Amino acid sequence: MRAEIANFNILVKIRSHFAWFLVAVVVILYYSMMLLIGLAPEFLGLKIGEFPISLGILIGVFIIATCVSVTWLYTYVANTFLDHEFGEATKRLYKADLIDEDGKLKGDNP
C-alpha cells in the first residue's frame, strides 16, 4: 500500500522538477537580456545587414517566442501525461483506502 504513496510522490517530484527547469530557462533568458541591456547596449544596437532591425529586437523576439514555447510545452506535458498519471495514482490511492473524500492522506490528519 505504501508503494502507491511512493509512486504518487515520484509523480509530484517529476512535475516539480520539470516545472522548475522550465522556470529556470525563462529566468535565465530574461535576466541575460537585462544584463545585456545594462552592460552591452551597443551590442544590442547592432544593425543586421541592410535591415533596420537591430540585434536587440531579434533577441527580444526570440525570448518572447521561447517563453510562449515553454508555456506550450508545460501545458502539453501536463495535459497529455501528468493529468492522466495523477488521476490514475489518485484512483489507486482511493482504492487502497489511503485517501479520504477530500483527497487527503488518512494518516496525515492531526
Side-chain angles (χ1 to χ4, degrees):
M1 290 202 294
R2 293 295 174 191
E4 287 89 1
I5 294 174
N7 288 338
F8 187 79
N9 288 336
I10 289 170
L11 282 172
V12 170
K13 269 189 181 177
I14 289 171
R15 181 183 63 185
S16 178
H17 286 261
F18 182 62
W20 280 111
F21 171 74
L22 296 179
V23 166
V25 168
V26 171
V27 167
I28 288 169
L29 283 174
Y30 178 77
Y31 283 105
S32 296
M33 180 68 166
M34 294 301 109
L35 283 172
L36 278 174
I37 290 171
L39 301 175
E42 60 280 346
F43 174 73
L44 294 174
L46 292 175
K47 300 286 184 205
I48 298 174
E50 301 288 322
F51 302 106
I53 297 174
S54 68
L55 190 58
I57 292 174
L58 285 180
I59 292 173
V61 168
F62 170 76
I63 290 173
I64 291 169
T66 302
C67 291
V68 169
S69 299
V70 163
T71 303
W72 173 84
L73 178 65
Y74 180 79
T75 304
Y76 177 77
V77 169
N79 288 341
T80 57
F81 174 70
L82 294 175
D83 287 349
H84 174 71
E85 292 298 321
F86 272 100
E88 292 296 318
T90 304
K91 284 179 190 175
R92 287 192 302 270
L93 287 171
Y94 189 73
K95 190 181 243 185
D97 199 33
L98 294 173
I99 58 173
D100 58 14
E101 293 81 22
D102 297 329
K104 297 179 182 176
L105 287 174
K106 288 187 174 181
D108 289 347
N109 294 335

